[in-house]
Amino acid sequence: MKARASATPVLARESREGPRIARAQGSLVFDEDGREYVDFLAGWCVGNFGWGNKLLVEAAAQYDGPDYVYPGQDWGPWEDLAKALVALAPGKLARCFRATGGSEAVDLALQAAQLHTGRGKFVALEGAYHGNTLATISIGDRESRRQLPNLLRGCQSLKPPLDAGALVRLDRLLRGDDVAAVIMEPVSINLGVLVPDAKFMRELPRLCRRHGTLLIMDEVATGFGRTGSLFACEQFGIQPDMMTIAKAVTGGLGGMGALLATAPVARAMEENGNFYSTYGWHPRSVAVALQTLEFIAANRDALMAQVAQTSAQIREGLAQMPQLQAVQINIAGLAIGIELGDEARAAQLRRKCLREGLLLSAEGGTLLLVPALNIDAATVQRGLDVLARCL
Ligand SMILES: Cc1ncc(COP(=O)(O)O)c(C=O)c1O
């Protein structure tokens, strides 16, 4: 469908720098003028299995169930999906709550933490992003937060690096035994692929437990293989009290989010929480998500091996670029952050790459590469060549 370019845009947009998208296939995106782009963005951790993925497209096309199911009614596939998610999730996560996306899932987690603990405070990483609702902006720490006069009170932030020193700082924040939950991405893609020290992650759950504080792992971006394991918190042996997912669970073919919680936390939420969601787990999205999980369950090892291989290819490719010799590069599977340390330069490079046919993201002063998990080696090389030229 050819969209009409209107002189005065009516739709509010995050940015108008991107190309006008016509179609996408695998790890290539095409604009309305037929220009081709290598996609190192994957819709920002959404298209983990490549665009136009046959399995997922067919699951959507062949869906022949009800158009819609009212949340007060039962629908078998909802239970099937909850079971499949819980089966793949780490630790004692036992129950699921339906949501339309990541922000809603995180919002539910904050609500559940308050209900379970009777406390109101939260700790998140400094500069973190967990969504765009008022509650998720409250725990985040960005410019948008400072413009808003009335957010959740008692939201504190923990400054990286996440090492032994951070444990001391966190202990200080939790000391009053009044923090409902600590929330973080296990590998913070939003902070330029910040990988915590193993010791920090080992002690984190113990520290939280000691203070009666719940631990929420936000896997909205890291989930479904992005960092080289199905969920990033698995790499640290973390068993969270709650986990949030969204984005890649449908590979982009439907909106979806979910909160997974342990039985006691879920009970508090079910008894006293409000989690009605009109479009949470829309039937068509559920059909695709079920197919995604079936595919992952059957191909987990092969998929993770491919992530490791492609990650190594990108690591080697970047290591050979003379302009990056003095630059910190953070790599966790197929989440790659190139720390330029200069926001303007990162934005400028992103625009240059776009002009040259490569899609990637810039988070602050960090260039972010998050390609599809099944991108082929030749396409990776094409993207790296464009990046090298632009650098
Ligand atoms: C870690 C994390 N949590 C939550 C969200 C919010 O998800 P959504 O945009 O689906 O509301 C995002 C979005 O980028 C995210 O990266």
Side-chain angles (χ1 to χ4, degrees), residues 43-46 100-106 128-133 136 183-190 218-222 244-247 256-257:
W44 218 99
C45 305
V46 170
T100 49
S103 300
E104 189 184 345
V106 175
Y129 180 77
H130 294 285
N132 64 8
T133 62
T136 54
I183 178 166
M184 61 182 280
E185 293 184 89
V187 168
S188 185
I189 299 188
N190 282 283
D218 182 351
E219 296 258 10
V220 164
T222 50
T244 50
I245 58 122
K247 291 191 187 273
M256 175 170 289

Side-chain angles (χ1 to χ4, degrees), residues 221-291:
T222 50
F224 306 101
R226 170 61 51 199
T227 66
S229 55
L230 191 48
F231 298 105
C233 63
E234 288 167 26
Q235 293 172 31
F236 304 98
I238 286 203
Q239 302 193 356
D241 298 292
M242 284 185 267
M243 187 171 96
T244 50
I245 58 122
K247 291 191 187 273
V249 65
T250 61
L253 277 93
M256 175 170 289
L259 164 65
L260 281 72
T262 59
V265 176
R267 202 172 310 122
M269 185 67 164
E270 284 178 88
E271 282 169 6
N272 298 307
N274 183 347
F275 47 93
Y276 185 96
S277 178
T278 296
Y279 275 109
W281 289 23
H282 185 274
R284 233 168 264 275
S285 302
V286 170
V288 179
L290 278 168
Q291 182 62 71

